[in-house]
Coordinates of all heavy atoms in Angstrom, one line a residue:
M57 N 8.6 -21.7 -52.9 CA 7.7 -21.4 -51.9 C 7.4 -19.9 -52.1 O 8.2 -19.1 -52.3 CB 8.4 -21.6 -50.5 CG 7.5 -21.1 -49.4 SD 8.3 -21.3 -47.8 CE 7.8 -23.0 -47.4
T58 N 6.0 -19.7 -51.9 CA 5.5 -18.3 -52.0 C 5.0 -17.8 -50.7 O 4.3 -18.6 -49.9 CB 4.4 -18.2 -53.0 OG1 4.9 -18.6 -54.3 CG2 3.8 -16.8 -53.3
L59 N 5.4 -16.7 -50.2 CA 5.0 -16.1 -48.8 C 4.2 -14.9 -49.2 O 4.6 -14.0 -49.8 CB 6.2 -15.8 -48.1 CG 6.0 -15.1 -46.7 CD1 5.1 -16.0 -45.7 CD2 7.3 -14.7 -46.1
A60 N 3.0 -14.8 -48.6 CA 2.2 -13.7 -48.7 C 1.6 -13.3 -47.4 O 0.9 -14.1 -46.8 CB 1.0 -13.9 -49.7
T61 N 1.9 -12.1 -46.9 CA 1.3 -11.7 -45.6 C 0.4 -10.5 -45.9 O 0.8 -9.5 -46.6 CB 2.3 -11.3 -44.7 OG1 3.3 -12.3 -44.5 CG2 1.8 -10.8 -43.4
T62 N -0.9 -10.5 -45.6 CA -1.9 -9.6 -45.9 C -2.7 -9.3 -44.7 O -3.3 -10.2 -44.1 CB -2.8 -10.1 -47.1 OG1 -2.0 -10.6 -48.1 CG2 -3.7 -9.2 -47.6
P63 N -2.8 -8.0 -44.4 CA -3.8 -7.6 -43.4 C -5.2 -7.6 -43.8 O -5.4 -7.2 -44.9 CB -3.3 -6.3 -42.9 CG -2.6 -5.7 -44.0 CD -2.0 -6.9 -44.8
A64 N -6.1 -8.2 -43.0 CA -7.5 -8.2 -43.4 C -8.3 -7.1 -42.7 O -8.3 -7.2 -41.4 CB -8.1 -9.5 -43.4
S65 N -9.0 -6.2 -43.3 CA -9.8 -5.3 -42.7 C -11.3 -5.9 -42.5 O -11.6 -6.9 -43.3 CB -9.8 -4.0 -43.3 OG -10.3 -4.1 -44.6
P66 N -12.0 -5.3 -41.7 CA -13.5 -5.8 -41.5 C -14.3 -5.8 -42.8 O -14.2 -4.8 -43.6 CB -14.0 -4.9 -40.5 CG -13.0 -4.3 -39.7 CD -11.8 -4.2 -40.6
G67 N -14.9 -6.9 -43.0 CA -15.7 -7.0 -44.4 C -14.9 -7.2 -45.6 O -15.4 -7.1 -46.7
S68 N -13.7 -7.6 -45.5 CA -12.8 -7.7 -46.7 C -12.7 -9.1 -47.2 O -12.8 -10.1 -46.4 CB -11.4 -7.0 -46.4 OG -10.8 -7.9 -45.5
N69 N -12.4 -9.3 -48.4 CA -12.2 -10.5 -49.1 C -10.7 -10.5 -49.6 O -10.3 -9.6 -50.1 CB -13.1 -10.9 -50.2 CG -14.6 -11.1 -49.7 OD1 -14.7 -11.7 -48.7 ND2 -15.5 -10.6 -50.5
I70 N -10.0 -11.6 -49.4 CA -8.6 -11.6 -49.8 C -8.4 -12.7 -50.8 O -9.0 -13.8 -50.6 CB -7.7 -11.9 -48.7 CG1 -7.8 -10.8 -47.6 CG2 -6.3 -12.1 -49.0 CD1 -7.1 -11.0 -46.3
R71 N -7.8 -12.4 -51.9 CA -7.6 -13.4 -53.0 C -6.0 -13.5 -53.1 O -5.3 -12.7 -53.3 CB -8.2 -13.0 -54.4 CG -9.6 -13.0 -54.4 CD -10.1 -12.5 -55.7 NE -11.5 -12.4 -55.7 CZ -12.3 -13.3 -56.4 NH1 -11.8 -14.2 -57.1 NH2 -13.6 -13.1 -56.4
L72 N -5.7 -14.9 -53.0 CA -4.2 -15.2 -53.1 C -4.1 -16.2 -54.3 O -4.9 -17.2 -54.3 CB -3.6 -15.8 -51.8 CG -3.7 -14.9 -50.5 CD1 -3.2 -15.8 -49.4 CD2 -2.8 -13.7 -50.8
G73 N -3.1 -16.0 -55.2 CA -2.9 -16.9 -56.3 C -1.6 -17.6 -56.0 O -0.6 -17.0 -56.0
L74 N -1.7 -18.9 -55.6 CA -0.5 -19.7 -55.2 C -0.4 -20.8 -56.1 O -1.5 -21.4 -56.6 CB -0.5 -20.2 -53.8 CG -0.8 -19.0 -52.8 CD1 -1.0 -19.7 -51.4 CD2 0.3 -18.1 -52.7
Q75 N 0.9 -21.1 -56.6 CA 1.1 -22.4 -57.3 C 2.2 -23.1 -56.8 O 3.2 -22.5 -56.1 CB 1.5 -22.0 -58.8 CG 0.4 -21.6 -59.7 CD 0.8 -21.2 -61.1 OE1 1.8 -20.7 -61.3 NE2 0.0 -21.7 -62.1
G76 N 2.3 -24.3 -57.0 CA 3.3 -25.2 -56.6 C 3.2 -25.4 -54.9 O 2.1 -25.3 -54.4
E77 N 4.5 -25.6 -54.4 CA 4.5 -25.8 -52.9 C 4.3 -24.3 -52.4 O 5.3 -23.6 -52.6 CB 5.6 -26.5 -52.6 CG 5.7 -26.9 -51.0 CD 6.9 -27.6 -50.7 OE1 7.4 -28.5 -51.5 OE2 7.3 -27.5 -49.6
A78 N 3.4 -23.9 -51.6 CA 3.2 -22.5 -51.2 C 2.7 -22.5 -49.9 O 1.9 -23.4 -49.4 CB 2.3 -21.8 -52.2
T79 N 3.0 -21.4 -49.3 CA 2.4 -21.0 -47.8 C 2.0 -19.6 -47.9 O 2.7 -18.7 -48.5 CB 3.6 -21.2 -46.8 OG1 4.0 -22.6 -46.9 CG2 3.0 -21.0 -45.5
A80 N 0.9 -19.4 -47.3 CA 0.4 -18.1 -47.2 C -0.2 -17.7 -45.8 O -0.8 -18.7 -45.1 CB -0.8 -17.9 -48.2
W81 N 0.0 -16.5 -45.3 CA -0.5 -16.1 -44.0 C -1.4 -15.0 -44.3 O -1.1 -14.0 -45.1 CB 0.7 -15.6 -43.1 CG 1.5 -16.7 -42.5 CD1 1.3 -17.3 -41.4 CD2 2.7 -17.2 -43.2 NE1 2.2 -18.3 -41.1 CE2 3.1 -18.2 -42.2 CE3 3.5 -16.9 -44.2 CZ2 4.3 -19.0 -42.4 CZ3 4.6 -17.7 -44.4 CH2 5.0 -18.6 -43.4
V82 N -2.5 -14.9 -43.6 CA -3.4 -13.8 -43.6 C -3.7 -13.4 -42.2 O -4.2 -14.2 -41.3 CB -4.7 -14.1 -44.4 CG1 -5.7 -12.9 -44.3 CG2 -4.4 -14.6 -45.8
D83 N -3.4 -12.2 -41.9 CA -3.6 -11.5 -40.4 C -5.1 -11.0 -40.5 O -5.3 -10.1 -41.2 CB -2.6 -10.5 -40.1 CG -1.2 -11.2 -40.1 OD1 -1.1 -12.3 -39.7 OD2 -0.3 -10.4 -40.6
V84 N -5.9 -11.4 -39.7 CA -7.3 -11.0 -39.5 C -7.4 -10.2 -38.2 O -7.0 -10.7 -37.1 CB -8.3 -12.0 -39.5 CG1 -9.6 -11.5 -39.3 CG2 -8.2 -12.7 -40.9
D85 N -7.7 -8.9 -38.1 CA -7.8 -8.1 -37.1 C -9.2 -8.4 -36.3 O -10.2 -8.0 -36.8 CB -7.7 -6.7 -37.4 CG -7.6 -5.8 -36.1 OD1 -7.4 -6.3 -35.1 OD2 -7.6 -4.5 -36.3
S86 N -9.1 -9.0 -35.2 CA -10.3 -9.2 -34.3 C -10.3 -8.5 -33.0 O -11.0 -8.8 -32.0 CB -10.5 -10.8 -34.2 OG -9.5 -11.2 -33.3
T87 N -9.4 -7.4 -33.0 CA -9.3 -6.6 -31.7 C -10.7 -5.9 -31.5 O -11.0 -5.5 -30.3 CB -8.1 -5.7 -31.7 OG1 -8.2 -4.9 -32.8 CG2 -6.9 -6.4 -31.7
N88 N -11.4 -5.4 -32.5 CA -12.5 -4.5 -32.3 C -13.9 -5.3 -32.2 O -14.8 -4.8 -32.1 CB -12.6 -3.4 -33.5 CG -11.5 -2.5 -33.4 OD1 -11.0 -2.2 -32.4 ND2 -11.0 -2.1 -34.6
G89 N -13.7 -6.6 -32.5 CA -14.9 -7.4 -32.5 C -14.8 -8.8 -33.1 O -13.6 -9.0 -33.6
P90 N -15.7 -9.6 -33.2 CA -15.6 -10.9 -33.6 C -15.4 -11.0 -35.2 O -15.8 -9.9 -35.8 CB -16.9 -11.7 -33.3 CG -17.8 -10.5 -33.1 CD -17.1 -9.4 -32.6
A91 N -14.9 -12.0 -35.7 CA -14.8 -12.1 -37.1 C -15.0 -13.6 -37.4 O -14.9 -14.5 -36.8 CB -13.2 -11.8 -37.5
N92 N -15.1 -13.8 -38.9 CA -15.3 -15.1 -39.4 C -14.2 -15.2 -40.5 O -14.0 -14.4 -41.3 CB -16.7 -15.3 -40.2 CG -17.8 -15.4 -39.1 OD1 -17.6 -16.1 -38.0 ND2 -18.9 -14.8 -39.2
C93 N -13.5 -16.5 -40.5 CA -12.5 -16.8 -41.5 C -12.9 -18.1 -42.1 O -13.3 -19.0 -41.5 CB -11.1 -16.8 -40.8 SG -10.7 -15.3 -40.1
W94 N -12.6 -18.2 -43.4 CA -12.7 -19.5 -44.3 C -11.9 -19.4 -45.4 O -11.6 -18.3 -46.0 CB -14.1 -19.8 -44.5 CG -14.9 -18.9 -45.4 CD1 -14.9 -19.1 -46.8 CD2 -15.7 -17.7 -45.1 NE1 -15.7 -18.0 -47.4 CE2 -16.1 -17.2 -46.3 CE3 -15.9 -17.1 -43.9 CZ2 -16.9 -16.0 -46.4 CZ3 -16.6 -16.1 -43.9 CH2 -17.2 -15.4 -45.2
A95 N -11.7 -20.4 -46.0 CA -10.9 -20.5 -47.1 C -11.5 -21.3 -48.2 O -11.8 -22.5 -47.9 CB -9.5 -21.1 -47.0
K96 N -11.5 -21.0 -49.5 CA -12.0 -21.9 -50.5 C -11.0 -21.9 -51.7 O -10.3 -21.0 -51.9 CB -13.4 -21.5 -51.0 CG -13.5 -20.3 -51.7 CD -15.1 -20.0 -52.1 CE -15.1 -18.8 -52.8 NZ -16.5 -18.7 -53.4
E97 N -11.0 -22.9 -52.5 CA -10.0 -23.0 -53.5 C -10.7 -23.4 -54.9 O -11.7 -24.0 -54.9 CB -9.1 -24.2 -53.2 CG -8.1 -24.1 -52.1 CD -7.2 -25.2 -52.1 OE1 -7.7 -26.3 -51.5 OE2 -6.1 -25.2 -52.5
R98 N -10.0 -23.0 -55.8 CA -10.5 -23.4 -57.3 C -9.4 -24.3 -57.7 O -8.2 -23.9 -57.8 CB -10.6 -22.2 -58.1 CG -11.8 -21.3 -57.9 CD -12.0 -20.3 -59.0 NE -10.8 -19.8 -59.4 CZ -10.8 -18.9 -60.5 NH1 -11.8 -18.6 -61.1 NH2 -9.6 -18.5 -60.9
I99 N -9.9 -25.5 -58.0 CA -8.9 -26.6 -58.5 C -9.1 -26.8 -60.0 O -10.2 -26.9 -60.4 CB -9.1 -27.9 -57.7 CG1 -9.0 -27.8 -56.3 CG2 -8.2 -29.0 -58.2 CD1 -7.7 -27.4 -55.8
F100 N -8.0 -26.8 -60.7 CA -8.1 -26.8 -62.1 C -7.7 -28.2 -62.8 O -7.7 -28.4 -64.0 CB -7.2 -25.7 -62.8 CG -7.5 -24.4 -62.4 CD1 -6.7 -23.7 -61.5 CD2 -8.6 -23.7 -63.0 CE1 -7.1 -22.4 -61.1 CE2 -8.9 -22.4 -62.6 CZ -8.2 -21.8 -61.7
S101 N -7.5 -29.1 -61.9 CA -7.3 -30.5 -62.4 C -8.0 -31.5 -61.6 O -8.1 -31.5 -60.3 CB -5.7 -30.8 -62.4 OG -5.4 -32.1 -62.7
S102 N -8.4 -32.6 -62.2 CA -9.0 -33.7 -61.6 C -8.1 -34.7 -60.8 O -8.5 -35.5 -60.1 CB -9.9 -34.4 -62.4 OG -9.1 -35.1 -63.5
A103 N -6.7 -34.4 -61.1 CA -5.7 -35.3 -60.4 C -5.4 -34.7 -59.0 O -4.7 -35.3 -58.3 CB -4.5 -35.3 -61.3
V104 N -6.2 -33.7 -58.6 CA -5.8 -33.1 -57.3 C -6.8 -33.4 -56.3 O -8.0 -33.3 -56.5 CB -5.7 -31.6 -57.4 CG1 -5.4 -30.8 -56.1 CG2 -4.6 -31.1 -58.4
E105 N -6.4 -33.9 -55.2 CA -7.3 -34.3 -54.0 C -7.0 -33.2 -52.9 O -5.9 -33.0 -52.6 CB -7.0 -35.7 -53.5 CG -8.0 -36.2 -52.4 CD -7.8 -37.5 -52.1 OE1 -7.7 -38.4 -52.9 OE2 -7.5 -37.7 -50.8
V106 N -8.1 -32.6 -52.4 CA -8.1 -31.5 -51.5 C -8.5 -32.0 -50.1 O -9.5 -32.5 -50.0 CB -8.9 -30.3 -52.0 CG1 -8.8 -29.2 -51.1 CG2 -8.5 -29.9 -53.4
D107 N -7.7 -31.6 -49.2 CA -8.1 -31.8 -47.7 C -8.1 -30.3 -47.1 O -7.1 -29.7 -46.9 CB -7.1 -32.5 -47.0 CG -7.5 -32.8 -45.5 OD1 -8.6 -32.5 -45.1 OD2 -6.5 -33.0 -44.8
N108 N -9.3 -29.7 -47.1 CA -9.6 -28.3 -46.6 C -10.5 -28.3 -45.5 O -11.7 -28.2 -45.7 CB -10.1 -27.6 -47.8 CG -10.3 -26.1 -47.4 OD1 -9.9 -25.6 -46.4 ND2 -10.7 -25.3 -48.4
P109 N -9.9 -28.3 -44.2 CA -10.8 -28.2 -43.1 C -11.4 -26.8 -42.9 O -12.1 -26.6 -41.9 CB -9.9 -28.6 -42.0 CG -8.5 -28.3 -42.3 CD -8.5 -28.4 -43.9
C110 N -11.0 -25.9 -43.7 CA -11.3 -24.4 -43.5 C -12.5 -24.0 -44.4 O -12.7 -22.8 -44.5 CB -10.2 -23.5 -43.8 SG -8.7 -24.1 -42.9
R111 N -13.2 -24.9 -45.1 CA -14.4 -24.5 -46.0 C -15.5 -23.9 -45.1 O -16.2 -23.0 -45.7 CB -14.9 -25.8 -46.6 CG -14.1 -26.3 -47.7 CD -14.7 -27.5 -48.3 NE -13.6 -28.2 -49.1 CZ -13.6 -29.5 -49.2 NH1 -14.5 -30.2 -48.8 NH2 -12.5 -30.0 -49.9
T112 N -15.7 -24.3 -43.9 CA -16.8 -23.8 -43.2 C -16.2 -22.6 -42.3 O -15.1 -22.6 -41.9 CB -17.4 -24.7 -42.2 OG1 -16.4 -25.3 -41.3 CG2 -18.0 -25.8 -43.0
P113 N -17.0 -21.5 -42.2 CA -16.6 -20.3 -41.4 C -16.2 -20.7 -40.1 O -16.8 -21.3 -39.3 CB -17.7 -19.3 -41.6 CG -18.5 -19.7 -42.6 CD -18.3 -21.1 -42.7
Q114 N -14.9 -20.1 -39.6 CA -14.5 -20.4 -38.2 C -14.7 -19.0 -37.5 O -14.2 -18.0 -37.9 CB -13.0 -20.7 -38.2 CG -12.7 -22.0 -38.9 CD -11.2 -22.3 -38.9 OE1 -10.5 -21.8 -38.0 NE2 -10.7 -23.2 -39.7
G115 N -15.5 -18.9 -36.4 CA -15.7 -17.8 -35.7 C -14.6 -17.4 -34.7 O -14.1 -18.3 -34.1
L116 N -14.2 -16.1 -34.8 CA -13.2 -15.7 -33.9 C -13.8 -14.6 -33.0 O -14.4 -13.8 -33.4 CB -11.9 -15.1 -34.8 CG -11.2 -15.8 -35.7 CD1 -10.3 -15.0 -36.6 CD2 -10.5 -16.9 -35.0
T117 N -13.5 -14.8 -31.7 CA -13.9 -13.8 -30.8 C -12.8 -12.7 -30.7 O -11.7 -12.8 -31.3 CB -14.1 -14.4 -29.4 OG1 -12.9 -15.0 -28.9 CG2 -15.2 -15.4 -29.5
M118 N -13.0 -11.8 -29.9 CA -12.1 -10.6 -29.9 C -10.8 -11.1 -29.4 O -10.7 -11.8 -28.3 CB -12.5 -9.5 -28.9 CG -13.8 -8.8 -29.6 SD -14.4 -7.4 -28.5 CE -13.0 -6.5 -28.1
G119 N -9.6 -10.8 -30.1 CA -8.4 -11.1 -29.7 C -7.9 -12.6 -29.9 O -6.8 -12.9 -29.7
Q120 N -8.9 -13.5 -30.6 CA -8.5 -14.8 -30.7 C -7.8 -15.0 -31.9 O -7.9 -14.3 -32.9 CB -9.8 -15.6 -30.7 CG -9.6 -17.1 -30.8 CD -10.9 -17.8 -31.0 OE1 -12.0 -17.2 -31.0 NE2 -10.9 -19.2 -30.8
T121 N -6.9 -16.0 -32.0 CA -6.2 -16.4 -33.2 C -6.6 -17.8 -33.6 O -7.0 -18.7 -32.7 CB -4.7 -16.3 -33.0 OG1 -4.2 -17.2 -31.9 CG2 -4.3 -14.9 -32.6
T122 N -6.4 -18.2 -34.8 CA -6.6 -19.6 -35.3 C -5.7 -19.8 -36.5 O -5.0 -18.9 -37.0 CB -8.1 -19.7 -35.8 OG1 -8.2 -21.1 -36.0 CG2 -8.4 -18.9 -36.9
S123 N -5.5 -21.0 -36.9 CA -4.7 -21.5 -37.9 C -5.5 -22.5 -38.7 O -6.3 -23.2 -38.2 CB -3.4 -21.9 -37.6 OG -3.5 -23.2 -36.9
C124 N -5.1 -22.6 -40.0 CA -5.7 -23.7 -40.8 C -4.6 -24.2 -41.8 O -3.9 -23.4 -42.4 CB -6.9 -22.9 -41.6 SG -7.8 -24.0 -42.7
T125 N -4.6 -25.4 -42.1 CA -3.7 -26.0 -43.0 C -4.6 -26.8 -44.0 O -5.3 -27.6 -43.7 CB -2.8 -27.2 -42.4 OG1 -2.0 -26.4 -41.3 CG2 -1.8 -27.8 -43.3
I126 N -4.3 -26.3 -45.3 CA -4.9 -27.0 -46.5 C -3.9 -27.9 -47.2 O -2.8 -27.3 -47.5 CB -5.5 -25.9 -47.4 CG1 -6.5 -25.1 -46.7 CG2 -6.2 -26.5 -48.7 CD1 -6.9 -23.8 -47.4
T127 N -4.2 -29.1 -47.3 CA -3.3 -30.0 -48.1 C -3.8 -30.4 -49.5 O -5.0 -31.0 -49.6 CB -3.0 -31.2 -47.2 OG1 -2.5 -30.7 -46.0 CG2 -2.0 -32.1 -47.9
N128 N -3.1 -30.2 -50.5 CA -3.5 -30.7 -51.8 C -2.4 -31.8 -52.2 O -1.3 -31.7 -52.1 CB -3.5 -29.6 -52.9 CG -4.5 -28.6 -52.6 OD1 -5.4 -28.8 -52.0 ND2 -4.2 -27.3 -53.1
T129 N -3.1 -33.0 -52.7 CA -2.3 -34.0 -53.1 C -2.6 -34.3 -54.5 O -3.6 -34.3 -55.0 CB -2.6 -35.3 -52.3 OG1 -2.5 -35.0 -50.9 CG2 -1.7 -36.4 -52.7
V130 N -1.4 -34.4 -55.3 CA -1.6 -34.6 -56.8 C -1.3 -36.0 -57.1 O -0.2 -36.5 -56.7 CB -0.5 -33.6 -57.5 CG1 -0.8 -33.9 -59.1 CG2 -0.8 -32.2 -57.2
F131 N -2.1 -36.6 -57.9 CA -2.0 -38.0 -58.2 C -1.6 -38.1 -59.8 O -2.3 -37.4 -60.5 CB -3.2 -38.9 -57.9 CG -3.4 -39.0 -56.6 CD1 -4.4 -38.2 -55.8 CD2 -2.7 -40.0 -55.7 CE1 -4.6 -38.4 -54.5 CE2 -3.1 -40.1 -54.5 CZ -4.0 -39.3 -53.8
Y132 N -0.6 -38.9 -60.1 CA -0.2 -38.9 -61.5 C -0.4 -40.4 -61.9 O 0.3 -41.3 -61.3 CB 1.2 -38.5 -61.7 CG 1.6 -38.8 -63.3 CD1 1.0 -38.0 -64.3 CD2 2.4 -39.8 -63.5 CE1 1.4 -38.2 -65.5 CE2 2.8 -39.9 -64.9 CZ 2.2 -39.2 -65.8 OH 2.6 -39.4 -67.2
E133 N -1.2 -40.6 -62.6 CA -1.6 -42.0 -63.1 C -1.3 -42.2 -64.6 O -2.1 -42.7 -65.3 CB -3.0 -42.4 -62.9 CG -3.3 -42.4 -61.3 CD -4.7 -42.7 -61.0 OE1 -5.4 -43.2 -61.9 OE2 -5.2 -42.4 -59.9
G134 N -0.1 -41.9 -65.0 CA 0.3 -41.9 -66.5 C 0.6 -43.4 -66.8 O 0.8 -44.3 -66.0
I135 N 0.4 -43.6 -68.1 CA 0.7 -44.9 -68.6 C 2.2 -44.9 -69.1 O 2.6 -44.1 -69.9 CB -0.3 -45.2 -69.8 CG1 -1.7 -45.2 -69.4 CG2 0.1 -46.6 -70.5 CD1 -2.7 -45.2 -70.5
P136 N 2.9 -45.9 -68.6 CA 4.4 -46.1 -69.1 C 4.4 -46.3 -70.5 O 3.7 -47.1 -71.0 CB 5.0 -47.0 -68.1 CG 3.9 -47.8 -67.5 CD 2.6 -46.8 -67.7
V137 N 5.3 -45.7 -71.2 CA 5.4 -45.9 -72.6 C 6.9 -46.2 -72.9 O 7.8 -45.5 -72.4 CB 5.1 -44.7 -73.4 CG1 5.2 -44.8 -74.9 CG2 3.5 -44.2 -73.1
L138 N 7.1 -47.2 -73.9 CA 8.5 -47.5 -74.3 C 8.9 -46.5 -75.4 O 8.2 -46.2 -76.2 CB 8.6 -49.0 -74.8 CG 8.3 -50.1 -73.8 CD1 8.3 -51.3 -74.6 CD2 9.4 -50.1 -72.7
N139 N 10.2 -46.1 -75.3 CA 10.9 -45.4 -76.4 C 11.3 -46.3 -77.5 O 11.0 -47.5 -77.3 CB 12.0 -44.5 -75.9 CG 13.1 -45.4 -75.4 OD1 13.2 -46.6 -75.4 ND2 14.0 -44.8 -74.7
R140 N 11.8 -45.9 -78.6 CA 12.0 -46.7 -79.7 C 13.1 -47.9 -79.4 O 13.1 -49.0 -79.9 CB 12.4 -45.9 -80.9 CG 13.6 -45.2 -80.8 CD 13.9 -44.5 -82.2 NE 14.6 -43.3 -81.8 CZ 15.3 -42.6 -82.7 NH1 15.5 -43.1 -83.9 NH2 16.0 -41.5 -82.3
Y141 N 14.0 -47.5 -78.5 CA 15.0 -48.4 -78.1 C 14.5 -49.7 -77.3 O 14.7 -50.7 -77.5 CB 16.2 -47.9 -77.4 CG 16.9 -46.8 -78.2 CD1 16.8 -45.4 -78.0 CD2 17.6 -47.2 -79.4 CE1 17.4 -44.5 -78.7 CE2 18.2 -46.2 -80.2 CZ 18.1 -44.8 -79.9 OH 18.8 -44.0 -80.6
G142 N 13.5 -49.2 -76.4 CA 12.8 -50.3 -75.6 C 12.0 -51.1 -76.4 O 11.9 -52.3 -76.2
L143 N 11.3 -50.5 -77.4 CA 10.4 -51.2 -78.2 C 11.2 -52.1 -79.1 O 10.9 -53.3 -79.4 CB 9.6 -50.3 -79.1 CG 8.5 -50.9 -80.0 CD1 7.5 -51.5 -79.1 CD2 7.8 -49.8 -80.7
A144 N 12.4 -51.9 -79.6 CA 13.3 -52.7 -80.4 C 13.8 -53.8 -79.6 O 13.7 -55.0 -80.1 CB 14.5 -51.9 -80.8
I145 N 14.1 -53.6 -78.3 CA 14.6 -54.7 -77.5 C 13.5 -55.7 -77.2 O 13.7 -56.8 -77.2 CB 15.2 -54.2 -76.2 CG1 16.6 -53.4 -76.4 CG2 15.5 -55.2 -75.1 CD1 17.1 -52.7 -75.2
L146 N 12.3 -55.1 -76.9 CA 11.0 -56.0 -76.7 C 10.8 -56.9 -77.9 O 10.5 -58.0 -77.9 CB 9.8 -55.2 -76.3 CG 8.6 -55.8 -76.0 CD1 8.8 -56.8 -74.8 CD2 7.4 -55.0 -75.8
T147 N 11.0 -56.2 -79.2 CA 10.6 -56.9 -80.4 C 11.7 -58.1 -80.5 O 11.4 -59.2 -81.0 CB 10.8 -56.0 -81.6 OG1 9.8 -54.9 -81.4 CG2 10.5 -56.7 -82.8
L148 N 12.9 -57.9 -80.4 CA 14.1 -58.9 -80.4 C 13.7 -60.2 -79.3 O 14.0 -61.2 -79.8 CB 15.4 -58.3 -80.1 CG 15.8 -57.3 -81.4 CD1 17.2 -56.6 -81.0 CD2 16.1 -58.1 -82.6
L149 N 13.4 -59.7 -78.3 CA 13.1 -60.7 -77.2 C 11.9 -61.6 -77.7 O 11.9 -62.8 -77.5 CB 12.8 -60.1 -75.8 CG 14.0 -59.5 -75.2 CD1 13.6 -58.7 -73.9 CD2 14.9 -60.6 -74.7
M150 N 10.9 -61.0 -78.2 CA 9.7 -61.7 -78.6 C 10.1 -62.6 -79.9 O 9.6 -63.8 -80.0 CB 8.6 -60.8 -78.9 CG 8.0 -60.1 -77.8 SD 7.3 -61.1 -76.6 CE 5.8 -61.7 -77.3
L151 N 10.9 -62.0 -80.8 CA 11.4 -62.9 -81.9 C 12.2 -64.1 -81.3 O 12.1 -65.1 -81.9 CB 12.1 -62.1 -82.9 CG 11.3 -61.1 -83.7 CD1 12.2 -60.2 -84.5 CD2 10.3 -62.0 -84.7
G152 N 13.0 -63.8 -80.3 CA 13.8 -64.9 -79.8 C 13.0 -65.9 -79.1 O 13.4 -67.2 -79.3
V153 N 11.9 -65.6 -78.4 CA 11.1 -66.6 -77.9 C 10.4 -67.4 -79.0 O 10.2 -68.6 -78.9 CB 10.0 -65.9 -76.9 CG1 9.0 -66.8 -76.5 CG2 10.8 -65.4 -75.7
G154 N 10.0 -66.8 -80.0 CA 9.2 -67.4 -81.1 C 10.2 -68.5 -81.8 O 9.6 -69.4 -82.2
F155 N 11.4 -68.0 -81.9 CA 12.3 -69.0 -82.7 C 12.6 -70.0 -81.8 O 12.8 -71.2 -82.4 CB 13.6 -68.2 -83.1 CG 13.5 -67.3 -84.3 CD1 13.8 -66.0 -84.4 CD2 13.0 -68.0 -85.5 CE1 13.7 -65.3 -85.4 CE2 12.9 -67.2 -86.7 CZ 13.2 -65.8 -86.6
R156 N 12.7 -70.0 -80.5 CA 12.9 -71.1 -79.6 C 11.8 -72.2 -79.6 O 11.9 -73.3 -79.5 CB 13.2 -70.7 -78.2 CG 14.6 -70.1 -78.1 CD 14.8 -69.8 -76.5 NE 14.9 -71.1 -75.9 CZ 15.6 -71.3 -74.8 NH1 16.3 -70.3 -74.4 NH2 15.6 -72.4 -74.2
R157 N 10.6 -71.6 -79.8 CA 9.5 -72.4 -79.8 C 9.4 -73.3 -81.2 O 8.8 -74.3 -81.1 CB 8.2 -71.7 -79.6 CG 8.0 -71.2 -78.2 CD 6.6 -70.8 -77.9 NE 6.3 -70.7 -76.6 CZ 5.5 -71.2 -75.8 NH1 4.5 -71.9 -76.5 NH2 5.4 -71.1 -74.5
M158 N 9.8 -72.7 -82.1 CA 9.9 -73.3 -83.4 C 10.9 -74.5 -83.5 O 10.6 -75.3 -84.4 CB 10.0 -72.3 -84.6 CG 8.9 -71.3 -84.8 SD 9.2 -70.0 -86.0 CE 9.3 -71.1 -87.5
I159 N 11.8 -74.4 -82.9 CA 12.9 -75.3 -82.9 C 12.7 -76.6 -82.1 O 12.0 -76.7 -81.2 CB 14.4 -74.7 -82.5 CG1 14.8 -73.7 -83.5 CG2 15.4 -75.8 -82.5 CD1 16.0 -72.9 -83.1

């Protein structure tokens, strides 16, 4: 888990680099006036599905707070492969079935 707490000043952009299971907090000061907050991500894999309700700017009035949860789900659709021992057992089973049919 990575934790990052960063104060945001007016007109600032914050970049956080997070990997794995991560949590980040950003404090936005809205005591002097309204603010807009949003989050966008760069995804480097097509196996990642993103649920980001924070893509559109959220307006904050003076003193207001808000939170946003972004969920990334990784799908692995690998093809199972037999190692050489599994392949040898499968070959022996197939030969056994073949010999039973011949008899």
Side-chain angles (χ1 to χ4, degrees):
M57 175 184 270
T58 303
L59 170 66
T61 303
T62 309
S65 59
S68 66
N69 292 323
I70 298 171
R71 292 178 184 249
L72 298 174
L74 304 172
Q75 284 186 321
E77 188 175 328
T79 304
W81 285 273
V82 177
D83 298 322
V84 178
D85 185 12
S86 63
T87 56
N88 294 330
N92 286 320
C93 297
W94 66 91
K96 68 179 182 176
E97 292 183 279
R98 286 192 321 178
I99 304 297
F100 298 103
S101 174
S102 62
V104 177
E105 183 176 305
V106 179
D107 179 21
N108 183 1
C110 309
R111 285 186 198 141
T112 58
Q114 299 178 18
L116 298 171
T117 59
M118 289 179 58
Q120 183 183 10
T121 61
T122 188
S123 65
C124 181
T125 301
I126 300 171
T127 305
N128 293 337
T129 306
V130 179
F131 293 98
Y132 177 72
E133 297 179 12
I135 301 170
V137 179
L138 293 175
N139 63 10
R140 65 179 148 157
Y141 299 113
L143 191 58
I145 291 172
L146 182 62
T147 304
L148 290 174
L149 286 172
M150 293 299 289
L151 287 173
V153 169
F155 281 127
R156 284 188 67 152
R157 289 196 163 231
M158 290 177 68
I159 296 178

